[in-house]
Amino acid sequence: MSVEPNAEPAGANLGAPAQTPASPDKGMFGIHGTGDVSGFGGLVRRRPANADSPRPFGGYFDEVHDALEEAYPAFADAVEKVIVDRGELTLHIAPEKIAEVCQIMRDDESLRFELCSSVSGVDYLGSDNRRLHVAYHLTSLTYRRRVRLEVAVAPGTPVPSVTAVYPTADWQERETYDMFGIVFEGHPNLTRILMPDDWEGHPQRKDYPLGGVPVEYKGAVIPPPDQRRVYQ
Amino acid sequence: MTTSGYATERETTEGRVFTVTGGDWDTVTGSIDPLSNEKIVVNMGPQHPSTHGVLRLVLELEGETVTEARPVIGYLHTGIEKNLEYRNWTQGTTFVTRADYLAPLFNEAAYVFAVEKLLGIEEQITDRARTIRLLFMELNRISSHLVWIATTGMELGAISMMLYGFREREYILDIFEETTGLRMNHAYFRPGGVAQDVPASAIKKIRDFLVYMPKKLKEYEAMLSGQIIWQERTQNVGVLDVTGCLSLGVTGPVLRASGLAWDLRKTMPYSGYENYEFDVPTAQTADVWGRYLVRMAEIRESLKLVEQALDKLTPGPVMIADKKIAWPAQLAIGVDGMGNSLEHVAKIMGQSMESLIHHFKLVTEGFRVPPGQVYVGIESPRGELGVHAVSDGGTHPYRVHMRDPSFVNLQAIPAMAEGALLADVIAGGASLDPVMGGCDR
């Protein structure tokens, strides 16, 4: 049996584009909705609690709250919300006041949060206009306490840098800028740190497009993870 | 002009650039006029300047003195945090374990503690699971410190130390392999407990190790502590005091070597550390020598902890009783080499349709975690390893941030290196024990 050279295998369509345009309502298996057939998938997701926690907060939280109130004259303007959840205290701070609050938190002798453990961003896409949050986790070595300060800004609004108070925030703010595009005003050298210098976009934002994988088989493509059939 | 086959040079707008590959330093210095060009910028890396990973240091030199040091990172960035957002909470351990690859169990521990705190099930974790976690974390701390002493020894010229350190580490990795199936990247700690019970053969190996290791520690000290070169290379090198450490966020052995006994196992205990007897070793010298002493002492303390944990190891389940979280089957290696549980397969295929559905849902969909955010910090071999986890109520993490001690500690390199000699950059940088997999995540 002779095989003709360059014969096309049956079914192959070499002229097909390598990628088919993504269809928003069709996932990898043509599933509509969540793909959940158990009947238990109709649960509505709740957003994290947004209401102020009632006093007393319990533990050392009241002490920290009151000490900051006493030491910081602009407390009423600066603290937007106080939330106690899962044994952790979160103070939501007005973005423009964060550096001042950190200064008080570090220096006041009844607060003494000497160490800024972590700075990280969260993108609450779809919550409200101020969707980008920055969480500062402060640790007091004197009192063995932790507290979280959180600020929320709209994309494009700068946040004052806390590097003058906590030099350790230098790289962590750079990472938050790199991943979320939050600009820290007064940072000595706000450049990308993990992504290449010429990268475009900020990958940890929730609306950052994810890549799919063209498999080059009859025009098929493995869709990006957020478009695959998934149980949310 | 050089004609050597090794060093090449080219003119750029920034000045003359040389590519140095080793053994040709003379040709570089020979073609620089020492009177008019005193300042040289040296790019150290990005390929392994040591075995810590891909780190690049841009050093500005005047003679042999470093006037400016700038670490450049990001070469090992793999998007672990972003990846987690597209996997369920249980699958997350498989990703985080790959961050700091010398302390994989600590990554897993910090992550599962955060998930358990979000779920509010910390109290329901069984005693045996808690003890196994502590036991394995301490073994991992020893293996991580062994790599530190091995690589630092090599970088400072004590090549045999590298062979010894890696030899003993292999002993611990054998124990890990016996229990988890893998030498590294275990994914052994799971939300709710651990994946598998520790086999009796591994317990025996750990007991043997407890006898074996102290002798080896004495050998290391006999080799290094009295060694004049080792002392000269480490004492008064890379000094960073308590104020410097805290303002730069440096924790772990480096902080303790400057005299502050801050160890999260003692100061903010987790996983039952409050029930164990151990000391927090400190040193007062704040230099590389002090960090060496602290790490050697910490290995001894970890051995004490391992011994106590073995004694506290009582039989019992290693996974939480809650069927909505616990994996339904205890897998065992079958004759085909695949993880399987014949008893469970017989049940779900023969008797209980509901069990099959439950298993399928739990494995494919995962459990839901109530919305909210937590931060958990644990004491990894390098300092505070924190996980900031946010849930929106779904089966996937909404956001997980790892506060990796390598990332934060590396900021201290300019503070330690500037004004010192080029050779001391290596000693100072190595004494931070950075692991780039964790740093870049």
Side-chain angles (χ1 to χ4, degrees):
Chain A
M1 190 179 132
S2 71
V3 177
E4 215 178 302
N6 300 328
E8 266 188 32
N13 180 1
L14 295 181
Q19 285 194 1
T20 50
S23 162
D25 58 356
K26 259 189 152 188
M28 197 174 190
F29 303 106
I31 301 293
H32 292 268
T34 62
D36 188 343
V37 293
S38 70
F40 291 99
L43 299 173
V44 178
R45 262 196 272 168
R46 290 174 293 142
R47 284 274 162 200
N50 269 328
D52 267 312
S53 295
R55 299 290 297 254
F57 305 129
Y60 58 81
F61 301 155
D62 294 276
E63 271 176 55
V64 170
H65 180 270
D66 296 345
L68 181 63
E69 192 166 24
E70 197 177 304
Y72 186 43
F75 182 85
D77 297 335
V79 177
E80 297 173 338
K81 256 183 305 194
V82 182
I83 289 177
V84 175
D85 182 34
R86 294 179 171 89
E88 293 183 12
L89 174 68
T90 310
L91 300 173
H92 286 257
I93 309 290
E96 63 277 9
K97 306 276 195 210
I98 184 68
E100 287 174 29
V101 172
C102 282
Q103 183 85 49
I104 307 268
M105 292 295 271
R106 190 193 70 179
D107 295 342
D108 188 78
E109 61 181 32
S110 51
L111 292 165
R112 287 222 191 280
F113 286 90
E114 299 98 338
L115 175 66
C116 177
S117 282
S118 166
V119 179
S120 60
V122 187
D123 179 7
Y124 290 100
L125 180 67
S127 58
D128 59 4
N129 186 33
R130 292 162 62 194
R131 58 179 249 223
L132 297 177
H133 290 219
V134 186
Y136 304 81
H137 294 93
L138 309 185
T139 307
S140 166
L141 282 74
T142 310
Y143 298 108
R144 299 186 181 180
R145 289 169 175 174
R146 284 193 198 275
V147 66
R148 177 188 299 117
L149 306 179
E150 193 166 334
V151 302
V153 289
T157 315
V159 178
S161 167
V162 301
T163 45
V165 186
Y166 296 117
T168 178
D170 182 343
W171 281 19
Q172 310 197 42
E173 285 185 353
R174 279 176 67 190
E175 188 191 339
T176 311
Y177 160 73
D178 193 356
M179 293 297 160
F180 292 91
I182 299 168
V183 175
F184 293 91
E185 224 166 28
H187 189 285
N189 175 33
L190 195 67
T191 53
R192 286 189 185 274
I193 185 161
L194 294 178
M195 303 301 287
D197 290 341
D198 54 355
W199 196 263
E200 280 177 24
H202 300 282
Q204 284 274 17
R205 283 197 182 180
K206 287 287 178 182
D207 52 4
Y208 184 81
L210 301 176
V213 186
V215 289
E216 296 184 11
Y217 178 72
K218 300 185 182 180
V221 62
I222 296 173
D226 53 344
Q227 288 169 32
R228 288 179 204 162
R229 171 180 147 153
V230 72
Y231 300 100
Q232 280 296 345
Chain B
M1 285 287 120
T2 53
T3 51
S4 154
Y6 296 103
T8 54
E9 59 178 61
R10 59 199 157 87
E11 296 293 336
T12 68
T13 50
E14 315 234 326
R16 194 178 296 168
V17 172
F18 297 90
T19 305
V20 182
T21 52
D24 46 7
W25 194 243
D26 286 344
T27 53
V28 174
T29 50
S31 55
I32 294 170
D33 177 6
L35 293 178
S36 62
N37 285 319
E38 287 176 346
K39 202 173 266 185
I40 316 177
V41 180
V42 171
N43 237 318
M44 213 168 83
Q47 68 276 57
H48 292 224
S50 53
T51 46
H52 297 288
V54 191
L55 169 68
R56 174 178 162 211
L57 292 172
V58 182
L59 303 171
E60 211 174 283
L61 303 176
E62 271 187 37
E64 258 197 272
T65 308
V66 178
T67 54
E68 206 188 312
R70 192 157 57 84
V72 182
I73 62 165
Y75 296 97
L76 279 185
H77 178 61
T78 46
I80 287 175
E81 292 173 6
K82 181 83 173 171
N83 269 309
L84 288 179
E85 293 168 16
Y86 299 95
R87 301 290 189 281
N88 68 37
W89 289 95
T90 307
Q91 287 173 312
T93 50
T94 320
F95 280 83
V96 294
T97 189
R98 281 157 171 80
D100 179 346
Y101 42 74
L102 292 184
L105 292 166
F106 288 91
N107 303 327
E108 295 171 22
Y111 173 76
V112 301
F113 291 157
V115 178
E116 285 163 5
K117 197 171 180 186
L118 276 170
L119 285 164
I121 56 165
E122 294 149 302
E123 300 303 314
Q124 299 172 43
I125 305 303
T126 62
D127 281 345
R128 189 170 173 88
R130 223 185 277 262
T131 312
I132 290 176
R133 284 177 180 176
L134 188 144
L135 172 71
F136 275 76
M137 276 195 280
E138 290 311 319
L139 283 173
N140 200 173
R141 188 184 313 278
I142 299 171
S143 76
S144 176
H145 281 352
L146 283 174
V147 174
W148 176 79
I149 183 86
T151 54
T152 306
M154 183 187 67
E155 281 153 27
L156 302 187
I159 305 286
S160 32
M161 192 56 240
M162 185 199 65
L163 301 171
Y164 291 179
F166 274 97
R167 183 184 63 195
E168 267 72 82
R169 170 176 179 256
E170 207 60 32
Y171 206 123
I172 297 178
L173 296 188
D174 276 351
I175 296 169
F176 288 167
E177 189 178 6
E178 187 98 18
T179 309
T180 71
L182 292 165
R183 296 164 72 248
M184 300 163 84
N185 306 334
H186 314 281
Y188 179 56
F189 297 175
R190 304 278 170 87
V194 296
Q196 282 283 336
D197 205 346
V198 187
S201 55
I203 300 280
K204 189 181 172 299
K205 271 192 179 162
I206 299 171
R207 292 262 182 221
D208 293 346
F209 180 72
L210 286 175
V211 180
Y212 171 80
M213 193 60 213
K215 290 184 221 151
K216 295 294 162 188
L217 279 174
K218 284 199 193 111
E219 266 179 33
Y220 303 164
E221 280 165 346
M223 184 157 62
L224 292 177
S225 295
Q227 236 272 11
I228 195 76
I229 301 173
W230 182 254
Q231 290 175 359
E232 295 277 320
R233 290 295 311 266
T234 58
Q235 287 173 351
N236 295 316
V237 168
V239 175
L240 201 62
D241 61 4
V242 174
T243 319
C245 284
L246 286 183
S247 61
L248 291 166
V250 178
T251 46
V254 182
L255 177 61
R256 291 192 282 276
S258 62
L260 187 70
W262 180 259
D263 186 322
L264 291 172
R265 292 176 292 170
K266 277 275 188 221
T267 55
M268 296 178 170
Y270 51 89
S271 197
Y273 272 108
E274 61 273 22
N275 305 323
Y276 289 75
E277 269 180 42
F278 65 103
D279 295 326
V280 177
T282 56
Q284 303 299 325
T285 54
D287 57 4
V288 180
W289 172 255
R291 291 160 206 160
Y292 158 68
L293 295 180
V294 165
R295 287 199 174 91
M296 294 302 274
E298 277 187 12
I299 295 180
R300 293 208 163 86
E301 294 304 317
S302 291
L303 288 171
K304 269 161 67 179
L305 280 161
V306 168
E307 191 164 7
Q308 292 173 52
L310 280 180
D311 294 339
K312 282 179 200 266
L313 206 60
T314 46
V318 294
M319 209 10 141
I320 190 169
D322 188 344
K323 292 282 182 219
K324 288 287 171 203
I325 294 163
W327 229 238
Q330 273 288 345
L331 300 187
I333 304 284
V335 282
D336 53 355
M338 307 287 275
N340 227 328
S341 165
L342 292 177
E343 198 187 335
H344 184 69
V345 170
K347 186 182 177 220
I348 60 177
M349 299 312 285
Q351 300 162 30
S352 173
M353 183 67 170
E354 287 72 24
S355 292
L356 176 64
I357 294 172
H358 173 74
H359 190 155
F360 181 74
K361 292 288 285 178
L362 190 60
V363 173
T364 56
E365 182 178 332
F367 49 80
R368 278 159 212 270
V369 173
Q373 58 179 336
V374 294
Y375 178 84
V376 173
I378 64 167
E379 189 70 33
S380 94
R382 277 160 268 288
E384 177 175 341
L385 172 65
V387 165
H388 175 213
V390 184
S391 172
D392 66 345
T395 54
H396 299 176
Y398 188 74
R399 161 99 172 110
V400 175
H401 173 71
M402 296 178 81
R403 183 263 191 218
D404 194 274
S406 298
F407 179 80
V408 179
N409 291 4
L410 268 178
Q411 295 186 89
I413 282 195
M416 294 193 306
E418 286 174 8
L421 295 177
L422 178 59
D424 294 343
V425 174
I426 303 290
S431 71
L432 291 172
D433 192 13
V435 174
M436 299 314 290
C439 174
D440 296 343
R441 287 153 296 163

